């Protein structure tokens, strides 16, 4: 995040209201959502948010192992987020690390509130998210894809969950940071929201923002999430029509 030395091409990240990828301040990156892309999973989705590309696959409800993790009155949602070796500039080391453990946990907490977990006591719903290409916003893309993959698997849900971030870059609050903005900006605020009651199920802040800046960011994020939810619904409808 902040403090990183900027290469010449990113010395100015906003010029005359335009960002380094040509977007306006309140504009999301182009979003593509595909459903049912992995034949051997019970449900799946592919999400492209700008250059960030993510696959999500759902297995279950099924038996949970190890048995000590079983919850008697509800299913367990287990989430495994991984970055593929070629998803980042420096080859990502395979296997779990602190960051992937953290993101798996926050994606799980972002999605759990909309799932009727109590309908499947003692069972496991497994969500696997693989990052094919990372260009900032992989956790928000993971929530978008995960939510659609769960719906595609027929898991009973109250609604969907969408997610996007806003951040502070060169004194401006921008929607949906790309990698240079994330790397050389001051802060990043990813937020996930339910489609039904717009409740926040994930909120993290990397860097520093004032209360007024956070309020401004949330207004942008709410608009972004409304659009993302419409795209999630459109993608799901496309499969069943
Ligand atoms: O991806 P997200 O914004 O949710 O999480 P982050 O930890 O703030 O990472 C921001 C970005 O840094 C990622 O999306 C990648 O583009 C980049 N990154 C990387 O290049 N190598 C890593 N090992 C981790 C992150």
């Amino acid at each position: 995040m902040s403090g990183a030395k900027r290469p010449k091409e990113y010395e100015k990240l906003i010029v005359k209201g335009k960002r380094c990828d040509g977007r306006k301040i309140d504009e999301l990156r182009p979003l593509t959502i595909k459903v049912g892309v992995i034949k051997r999973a019970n449900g799946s989705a592919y999400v492209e948010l700008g250059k960030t590309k993510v696959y999500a696959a759902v297995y279950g409800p099924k038996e949970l192992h190890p048995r000590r993790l079983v919850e008697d009155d509800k299913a367990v949602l287990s989430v495994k987020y991984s970055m593929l070796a070629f998803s980042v500039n420096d080859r990502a080391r395979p296997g779990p690390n602190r960051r992937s453990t953290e993101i798996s946990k926050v994606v799980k907490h972002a999605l759990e509130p909309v799932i009727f977990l109590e309908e499947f006591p003692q069972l496991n719903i497994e969500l696997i998210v693989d990052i094919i290409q990372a260009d900032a916003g992989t956790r928000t893309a993971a929530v978008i894809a995960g939510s659609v993959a769960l719906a595609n698997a027929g898991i009973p849900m109250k609604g969907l969950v969408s997610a996007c971030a806003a951040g502070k870059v060169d004194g401006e609050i921008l929607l949906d940071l790309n990698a240079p903005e994330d790397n050389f900006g001051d802060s990043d605020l990813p937020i996930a929201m339910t489609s039904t009651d717009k409740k926040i199920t994930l909120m993290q802040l990397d860097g520093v923002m004032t209360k007024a800046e956070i309020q401004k960011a949330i207004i942008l994020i709410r608009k972004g999430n409304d659009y993302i939810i419409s795209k999630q619904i459109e993608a799901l409808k496309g499969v069943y029509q």
Side-chain angles (χ1 to χ4, degrees):
M1 197 96 252
S2 65
K5 189 162 164 30
R6 295 185 186 192
K8 205 147 184 63
E9 59 184 312
Y10 298 129
E11 243 163 40
K12 284 198 169 168
L13 285 166
I14 309 162
V15 180
K16 293 186 186 148
K18 281 270 168 76
R19 296 157 68 174
C20 57
D21 56 9
R23 276 183 295 156
K24 289 185 261 167
I25 273 160
D26 59 353
E27 201 176 332
L28 284 169
R29 287 172 283 180
L31 173 65
T32 304
I33 306 179
K34 292 183 182 161
V35 182
V37 284
I38 299 165
K39 293 289 164 261
R40 293 194 173 94
N42 296 114
S44 58
Y46 171 72
V47 165
E48 231 178 79
L49 186 60
K51 293 183 200 156
T52 290
K53 300 178 182 184
V54 174
Y55 276 104
V58 169
Y59 296 88
K62 59 186 180 114
E63 239 182 48
L64 177 59
H65 294 285
R67 302 297 295 162
R68 65 183 159 77
L69 298 178
V70 163
E71 300 257 6
D72 277 335
D73 54 351
K74 60 178 177 135
V76 168
L77 174 69
S78 44
V79 177
K80 187 167 160 258
Y81 162 105
S82 320
M83 280 183 141
L84 299 191
F86 50 77
S87 64
V88 288
N89 283 339
D90 303 326
R91 177 182 176 276
R93 273 184 71 171
N97 53 46
R98 256 179 76 146
R99 181 175 173 278
S100 67
T101 305
E102 175 220 322
I103 298 182
S104 300
K105 193 171 155 66
V106 299
V107 170
K108 169 182 161 78
H109 290 312
L111 295 171
E112 269 175 344
V114 297
I115 307 173
F116 288 105
L117 291 171
E118 62 281 5
E119 289 197 15
F120 306 103
Q122 303 184 357
L123 295 180
N124 180 215
I125 299 166
E126 188 183 16
L127 168 63
I128 295 171
V129 180
D130 278 329
I131 309 302
I132 308 302
Q133 190 167 283
D135 197 71
T138 62
R139 78 196 61 208
T140 49
V143 170
I144 300 169
S147 163
V148 170
L150 285 162
N152 181 232
I155 304 293
M157 291 155 80
K158 291 169 207 152
L160 296 166
V161 183
S162 63
C164 64
K168 190 174 156 188
V169 179
D170 295 350
E172 292 269 10
I173 305 298
L174 308 180
L175 182 62
D176 187 26
L177 304 189
N178 58 29
E181 291 168 344
D182 187 283
N183 290 341
F184 307 118
D186 300 316
S187 52
D188 186 30
L189 176 74
I191 289 186
M193 276 176 196
T194 61
S195 63
T196 45
D197 45 14
K198 313 282 175 196
K199 281 222 171 103
I200 292 177
T201 59
L202 159 74
M203 182 170 184
Q204 295 185 284
L205 175 60
D206 185 9
V208 178
M209 279 169 126
T210 64
K211 188 175 168 191
E213 287 165 348
I214 290 177
Q215 283 167 337
K216 204 170 166 185
I218 290 178
I219 292 171
L220 289 184
I221 291 169
R222 279 196 187 281
K223 276 198 199 146
N225 274 325
D226 283 345
Y227 173 75
I228 293 167
I229 284 171
S230 73
K231 293 283 282 186
Q232 287 172 302
I233 293 171
E234 186 187 298
L236 281 162
K237 275 188 179 163
V239 172
Y240 300 107
Q241 267 167 0

